[in-house]
Amino acid sequence: QNVADMFVKLSPIPTIVLPGDNDIYDCDDWQVAEELWESTFLGFEQNWNTRYNFPSTVLRQDSRQENFSFTYADVLFIGMNIIASSEGESGAREDDRFDDCQEWMEDTISAHVRSTSDLRAVVFLGHADKFPDLFERAEELLAHTKVPALYIHGNGHEWEMEKPISKWDEYLRIQVDQGGEARPLKVTIRGTTAEARASPFYAPYNYQYMHTSNIKLDRQGGRYR
């Protein structure tokens, strides 16, 4: 609750929260922890609904409400409950979670690929580097569009950046630094106006990186020293 209160009080923009393994299955009583997480963070963006229209644009999966999606400036964001393996989660529950995530990802991408010709990027969000089959399926749905895609996650606590699917060059997986030791990752997707297109767009520092010609990643200095 302290974390929730801090975001509501201090964040100038709407915030959406995804669960991690420490939030639920690493707790002594995962069922109580799950109920607490859901009562605190499901629909968390609604705390800003009187100041922004954005919360009304967020879609959530009926069968797994923590999975969400929204589109902003022709960029599709897909958040999924992809947590690290935990002894507290049974194999059957993990399988159900994978199935729900895959269904949500497939339905969301398919709807946008069918209806949107100017999708500029797809950003996947999750907790851990897990469910590789999920992103193999995303490759089948997206690779032909040549739309750049990112999967941004935590859990490993150290910076990683790789292209794990050799036949999908537009896809990049990013593991962010541990939050207590590094500034947040800043992602900039190049604008579409004439002014934006005419302005230089590149990564001049050694802690900045380009993914395709339209996405800049900035670790903002990386880990604190």
Side-chain angles (χ1 to χ4, degrees), residues 41-54:
F41 290 117
L42 275 186
F44 193 62
E45 68 278 0
Q46 296 301 323
N47 286 291
W48 289 264
N49 65 359
T50 60
R51 288 176 281 168
Y52 295 92
N53 182 58
F54 167 76

Side-chain angles (χ1 to χ4, degrees), residues 84-104:
S85 296
S86 173
E87 294 181 0
E89 182 180 35
S90 68
R93 287 183 64 85
E94 182 176 286
D95 290 344
D96 287 345
R97 187 162 53 80
F98 170 82
D99 290 343
D100 286 341
C101 288
Q102 177 161 293
E103 179 182 36
W104 181 242

Side-chain angles (χ1 to χ4, degrees), residues 25-206:
Y25 290 111
D26 287 350
C27 297
D28 292 336
D29 189 329
W30 69 263
Q31 290 174 308
V32 172
E34 184 176 58
E35 291 175 1
L36 179 61
W37 190 92
E38 290 178 351
S39 65
T40 306
F41 290 117
L42 275 186
F44 193 62
E45 68 278 0
Q46 296 301 323
N47 286 291
W48 289 264
N49 65 359
T50 60
R51 288 176 281 168
Y52 295 92
N53 182 58
F54 167 76
S56 66
T57 70
V58 177
L59 302 178
R60 291 187 176 271
Q61 187 177 24
D62 290 339
S63 59
R64 190 172 292 276
Q65 288 280 300
E66 66 269 27
N67 289 348
F68 66 84
S69 72
F70 63 90
T71 304
Y72 182 80
D74 295 322
V75 177
L76 173 62
F77 295 83
I78 304 176
M80 292 174 286
N81 186 353
I82 306 175
I83 63 173
S85 296
S86 173
E87 294 181 0
E89 182 180 35
S90 68
R93 287 183 64 85
E94 182 176 286
D95 290 344
D96 287 345
R97 187 162 53 80
F98 170 82
D99 290 343
D100 286 341
C101 288
Q102 177 161 293
E103 179 182 36
W104 181 242
M105 182 269 295
E106 289 178 341
D107 290 350
T108 303
I109 291 177
S110 296
H112 282 80
V113 169
R114 284 197 306 266
S115 63
T116 307
S117 59
D118 55 356
L119 198 63
R120 297 194 294 135
V122 176
V123 180
F124 301 101
L125 301 166
H127 167 250
D129 180 18
K130 194 173 172 62
F131 295 164
D133 291 351
L134 187 70
F135 295 98
E136 294 282 351
R137 178 60 180 141
E139 183 269 331
E140 295 174 1
L141 295 169
L142 278 174
H144 71 281
T145 68
K146 302 299 181 182
V147 171
L150 304 172
Y151 174 42
I152 303 173
H153 66 87
N155 185 57
H157 300 166
E158 293 184 355
W159 175 264
E160 291 182 358
M161 185 172 64
E162 68 163 351
K163 293 184 176 182
I165 302 177
S166 59
K167 57 184 177 179
W168 190 13
D169 192 55
E170 293 82 14
Y171 171 62
L172 186 69
R173 180 187 70 83
I174 301 165
Q175 178 176 277
V176 298
D177 287 314
Q178 188 173 22
E181 298 186 17
R183 298 176 178 91
L185 173 67
K186 182 179 180 180
V187 180
T188 304
I189 299 176
R190 191 174 194 176
T192 58
T193 65
E195 181 181 2
R197 287 296 176 186
S199 300
F201 192 74
Y202 61 102
Y205 303 110
N206 60 8

